[in-house]
Amino acid sequence: VNDLSALIRDEILKHGPMRFSRFMELALYEPHLGYYRRDRDPFGRQGDFYTAEQLQPVFGRLMAVAVDMLDEELGCPEDFTVLELGAGRGEMANAFSNFRYIPVEVGHTDTLKLPESFNGVVFSNEFFDAQPVDLAVRSFDGWVERRVGVQGSELIFLPGPGVDETAAEYLAQYAAGDQQVVELHLKSIEQLRWITARLTKGFVLTVDYGYTARESIRFPQGSLMSYHRHQASEDVLKDPGDRDITSHVPFQVLEQEGKKLGLEKVRQETLAQFLISLGEESFIRAVEGGHELQLKTLLFGMGESFRVLLQEKTVG
Ligand SMILES: C[S@@+](CC[C@H](N)C(=O)[O-])C[C@H]1O[C@@H](n2cnc3c(N)ncnc32)[C@H](O)[C@@H]1O
């Protein structure tokens, strides 16, 4: 039993079964112990997974082309800023060095010190799939929470109470008829809210692993996964702090909730479609220096499973 397991068990024994979002918050972000807060680097070959962002320079060059286009569309405002949510190892710093670039990362960035308002682009890659989610399970009596409890030395899933009003509203709007277990991306909505409040005029450009409303049929039991040393597992309660936990992003939630906040969808498509729309010339420049393989990986390895959502905020 590691320190984080002990901390989680103590909290459960003291307060009763825990919401999954609380478990995920502790497992990923508890200072010093959470997966993203430990000294060890989770990314890359020695780590647990690769992201598109690590395919540098090609991913960076192509995203910089996209951001350049958006800058022009805004009329190149003087304070044009690229704010990146969940910047991780800072892979994009070089690609965005022609812009005023602000990487936001847990434990490194004091969000209170971020600009109160700015024009530009809020960029993220695999940020929303790392946000804590709550779980709801369909039962004969309606939706109930799925919580985390303790059995002996193990953490286990337990049926919780009926869902609260916020969750019920979310489920009424987004749960598809055949979904038995639904991940509630309420934290993602919160993130979208604070970022939209600060963006005066500009775009939110989101790249993530996810699905559309029509594709939700593929995840009747939800989409939670954990990753450890490039091995995927459905056992997300095991070894908290040692493995990444992700939940695929339901893009219709970002789209619809964004709309309520004043973000209009410009486009939503696969990563491959988005990259292709940047034009052949961008491809030629992106692979300069012998990086064809990276482009292939982006288009054919990740291009269909990753999606891109571009939203625009027009009213200040
Ligand atoms: C899957 S990683 C992706 C990192 C990087 N964007 C990439 O693609 O390589 C998710 C990152 O989001 C960060 N993150 C999660 N929640 C955050 C928050 N509320 N504020 C800032 N960063 C956050 C995590 O610490 C982690 O570095």
Side-chain angles (χ1 to χ4, degrees):
V1 177
N2 62 28
D3 289 351
L4 192 55
S5 295
L7 192 146
I8 292 170
R9 285 168 50 91
D10 282 356
E11 192 168 314
I12 293 172
L13 293 174
K14 217 183 270 165
H15 301 292
M18 183 181 268
R19 283 189 163 197
F20 189 74
S21 59
R22 174 68 181 152
F23 170 79
M24 202 165 157
E25 183 86 47
L26 292 167
L28 298 185
Y29 304 114
E30 176 66 9
H32 310 295
L33 299 172
Y35 182 78
Y36 284 108
R37 304 296 299 277
R38 294 165 41 177
D39 282 341
R40 131 176 208 285
D41 183 3
F43 301 93
R45 191 191 299 239
Q46 299 299 321
D48 302 311
F49 55 85
Y50 292 107
T51 66
E53 252 187 49
Q54 287 171 265
L55 295 173
Q56 298 290 349
V58 175
F59 184 76
R61 286 174 180 171
L62 290 170
M63 286 300 148
V65 169
V67 169
D68 248 332
M69 288 175 174
L70 298 176
D71 185 17
E72 254 172 52
E73 214 165 308
L74 289 176
C76 305
E78 212 153 271
D79 72 332
F80 182 84
T81 301
V82 182
L83 188 141
E84 182 179 3
L85 298 173
R89 290 207 288 200
E91 307 272 10
M92 298 301 280
N94 198 28
F96 291 151
S97 60
N98 283 340
F99 310 106
R100 176 186 180 216
Y101 169 61
I102 306 179
V104 183
E105 181 50 56
V106 180
H108 294 271
T109 319
D110 183 350
T111 39
L112 295 173
K113 287 197 185 136
L114 292 174
E116 277 299 320
S117 64
F118 63 95
N119 293 299
V121 173
V122 177
F123 173 82
S124 70
N125 184 63
E126 289 204 44
F127 170 75
F128 290 105
D129 75 348
Q131 295 307 305
V133 292
D134 277 316
L135 300 176
V137 183
R138 208 184 276 278
S139 80
F140 285 122
D141 304 325
W143 292 98
V144 293
E145 278 187 41
R146 174 171 280 180
R147 292 204 173 192
V148 180
V150 172
Q151 187 176 60
S153 61
E154 306 270 305
L155 294 174
I156 55 162
F157 277 126
L158 291 174
V163 298
D164 65 19
E165 205 176 312
T166 312
E169 270 172 33
Y170 181 105
L171 289 159
Q173 195 172 351
Y174 299 116
D178 29 32
Q179 281 184 295
Q180 299 304 315
V181 182
V182 174
E183 287 133 26
L184 305 166
H185 284 260
L186 298 166
K187 201 81 186 184
S188 292
I189 298 171
E190 233 175 75
Q191 300 288 1
L192 210 54
R193 186 171 294 124
W194 79 260
I195 205 64
T196 309
R198 286 175 192 237
L199 183 66
T200 311
K201 203 164 181 267
F203 297 90
V204 180
L205 177 59
T206 303
V207 185
D208 222 314
Y209 210 81
Y211 56 93
T212 59
R214 223 196 286 153
E215 289 167 338
S216 57
I217 193 172
R218 285 171 39 207
F219 306 103
Q221 298 298 323
S223 67
L224 282 180
M225 276 291 191
S226 81
Y227 292 87
H228 183 63
R229 304 228 182 279
H230 299 274
Q231 295 266 330
S233 156
E234 284 178 16
D235 190 356
V236 291
L237 298 182
K238 202 172 156 200
D239 309 328
D242 285 342
R243 33 182 78 235
D244 192 20
I245 303 171
T246 71
S247 155
H248 296 359
V249 176
F251 272 83
Q252 84 272 21
V253 173
L254 296 187
E255 234 181 88
Q256 298 295 324
E257 296 297 320
K259 200 166 179 168
K260 293 180 198 165
L261 298 166
L263 294 175
E264 277 304 320
K265 177 182 86 169
V266 181
R267 50 205 285 185
Q268 200 253 98
E269 59 208 336
T270 66
L271 177 62
Q273 287 167 327
F274 179 80
L275 294 177
I276 287 165
S277 77
L278 299 176
E280 204 176 325
E281 218 170 276
S282 311
F283 281 7
I284 296 170
R285 257 185 266 134
V287 300
E288 254 169 40
H291 298 290
E292 288 78 4
L293 189 60
Q294 287 188 1
L295 182 60
K296 263 194 196 155
T297 308
L298 282 172
L299 287 176
F300 305 116
M302 297 172 142
E304 292 304 316
S305 41
F306 281 78
R307 303 194 71 82
V308 179
L309 171 63
L310 180 66
Q311 295 163 295
E312 179 170 18
K313 182 164 178 192
T314 46
V315 279

